[in-house]
Amino acid sequence: MNANTLLTRVREQTPLLVTSVLLVSMFTVGSVQYDGFFSGQVLLNLLIDNAFLLVVAVGMTFVVLTGGIDLSVGAVVALSTMVSAWLVERHGWPPLLVVPLVLLMGTAGGWVMGWVIHVFEIQPFIVTLAGMFLARGLCYTISIESISITDPTYTAMAQTRIPLGDLFVSPSVLIALLVLAAGFVVLHYTRLGRNVYALGGSEQSALLMGLPVGRTKITVYAVSGFCSALGGVLLTFYMLSGYGLHAVGLELDAIAAVVIGGTLLTGGSGYLLGTVLGVLVLGLIQTVISFQGTLSSWWTRIVIGGLLFAFIVLQRLNTVRRR
C-alpha cells in the first residue's frame, strides 16, 4: 500500500473515528457527572429506546450512499403505527397478518418513489417530500386521535425482556441488529452493495460501466420503505399505540445519524457501523439531558443541529483535500 492510498483511507475513516471518540467522550463525561450513568444497562437502553430509529437509519444509509435522500421515512413510520393499530384494534385482524401487510405497504411505497425518481428524473427531495405529505395525510384519514393497542401479542412484545446476565434487551433490539447485519452483508458482500457505492460515486460512470443504475436506485428506495415500515412496527411495540403525530422529525434524526456516522451526503462513501455510532450518539445526547434534569428536551435538537453542522463541515474539508 503506497502513501497516497494510505492517506486516502485515513481521510475516509476520519469521520468514523471522530464519531467514535465523541461517543466515548460523552459517555465518560456522563459517567463522571452523574451517579448511575456508568453501567452496561445505560448503553443497552440506548438500543432499546432507539431500535426503531436504528432500523430507519439503516434504510436511510442505503439511500444516502447513492447520493439520494428520503424525507418520507418519519411519515411512513407514523402511517405504519396507524395502520397497525387500526387493523388490530378496530377490525380485529391478527398481528401475524397485519405486520407483513404493513411491511409490504412500506416497501411498495418506497418502490414507487424510486420509480418516479428514476423514470421522470425528478429530484429525490421533491418526490420524497410529496411522499411525506401523502403518508402523513393518510394517517389522519384513519383517525385524528391516538389509537391505543391492547392486543396480547403487541403487549407481550412491549413487555418482554431478554436477559443478558444481569442486563436485558428487548425483542426490538434483536430485530434491529438482524436488520443491521443483513444490511452490512448486502452492502459489502453482494452485487447490489457494489452498485450502490458505484452509483453514489458517480452515476454517469456507473452508466458507462453498464451497471443497472435504474434498478439500483429503485431498490434502495424500496429498502428504505421497508425499513421505515419495520421501524413503524417496532415503534408500535414501544408505544403500544398508533398516532398521526408519531415520529415527527424522525427523518431528520435518521439523516443526522447517517451523517454523524460518516456517510457522505453526496454518496459513495460511508459505513453502516458509522450509522450505528450516529444513532448511539443521538441517544446518548438525550440520555445526558435526561440525567441532567433541568434542561429542556429542545436542547437535544440544539446539540444535534450543532453536531450535524460540524460533521457536514468535516465532510466538506475531507472532500476538498481529496481533490
Side-chain angles (χ1 to χ4, degrees):
M1 182 183 300
N2 58 42
N4 289 335
T5 303
L6 179 60
L7 184 60
T8 299
R9 291 197 174 183
V10 170
R11 286 174 179 170
E12 288 177 350
Q13 301 294 336
T14 297
L16 189 61
L17 293 174
V18 171
T19 305
S20 301
V21 171
L22 177 63
L23 182 64
V24 173
S25 300
M26 289 175 60
F27 188 73
T28 302
V29 171
S31 300
V32 172
Q33 290 286 336
Y34 309 112
D35 293 334
F37 195 94
F38 185 74
S39 71
Q41 192 58 55
V42 168
L43 286 175
L44 291 178
N45 284 345
L46 296 179
L47 292 174
I48 293 172
D49 295 337
N50 295 282
F52 64 93
L53 174 58
L54 178 56
V55 171
V56 174
V58 168
M60 185 67 76
T61 304
F62 274 77
V63 173
V64 174
L65 280 172
T66 64
I69 202 77
D70 189 351
L71 298 180
S72 70
V73 295
V76 173
V77 167
L79 181 60
S80 298
T81 68
M82 285 297 291
V83 171
S84 298
W86 181 59
L87 292 177
V88 170
E89 291 297 317
R90 300 283 176 85
H91 296 276
W93 285 34
L96 288 178
L97 183 59
V98 171
V99 171
L101 178 63
V102 167
L103 296 180
L104 180 61
M105 176 190 70
T107 305
W111 189 95
V112 170
M113 286 190 294
W115 181 82
V116 171
I117 290 168
H118 171 64
V119 173
F120 296 99
E121 298 183 350
I122 304 175
Q123 287 294 324
F125 179 90
I126 300 299
V127 176
T128 58
L129 182 65
M132 179 184 74
F133 286 129
L134 176 62
R136 192 70 70 175
L138 288 174
C139 290
Y140 297 109
T141 64
I142 296 174
S143 175
I144 60 174
E145 297 178 350
S146 175
I147 303 176
S148 298
I149 296 177
T150 58
D151 180 83
T153 301
Y154 281 85
T155 303
M157 288 295 291
Q159 297 176 349
T160 298
R161 295 291 179 262
I162 300 172
L164 298 174
D166 295 332
L167 310 177
F168 66 87
V169 295
S170 66
S172 293
V173 172
L174 297 186
I175 294 172
L177 293 179
L178 286 174
V179 172
L180 176 66
F184 179 85
V185 170
V186 170
L187 280 178
H188 296 286
Y189 296 100
T190 68
R191 182 177 297 174
L192 173 62
R194 292 190 292 272
N195 292 342
V196 166
Y197 279 99
L199 178 58
S202 172
E203 182 172 338
Q204 190 61 36
S205 296
L207 284 169
L208 292 174
M209 288 188 292
L211 299 180
V213 170
R215 188 169 65 203
T216 302
K217 192 177 295 186
I218 293 171
T219 300
V220 296
Y221 283 95
V223 169
S224 182
F226 172 84
C227 289
S228 301
L230 181 56
V233 172
L234 299 186
L235 184 60
T236 308
F237 294 152
Y238 187 76
M239 302 292 291
L240 285 179
S241 66
Y243 189 30
L245 289 178
H246 279 333
V248 171
L250 183 67
E251 59 278 354
L252 303 181
D253 289 337
I255 294 170
V258 172
V259 173
I260 291 173
T263 300
L264 289 180
L265 276 173
T266 52
S269 178
Y271 305 93
L272 278 179
L273 174 59
T275 297
V276 177
L277 295 176
V279 170
L280 292 178
V281 166
L282 299 190
L284 197 55
I285 291 170
Q286 295 173 337
T287 302
V288 169
I289 290 175
S290 175
F291 267 82
Q292 206 281 334
T294 60
L295 292 176
S296 166
S297 60
W298 283 107
W299 275 99
T300 302
R301 297 295 178 188
I302 295 171
V303 175
I304 291 173
L307 284 176
L308 188 57
F309 176 78
F311 274 86
I312 289 174
V313 171
L314 179 61
Q315 287 187 3
R316 180 60 181 169
L317 291 176
N318 270 342
T319 302
V320 170
R321 285 173 183 172
R322 287 178 195 173
R323 292 175 182 173

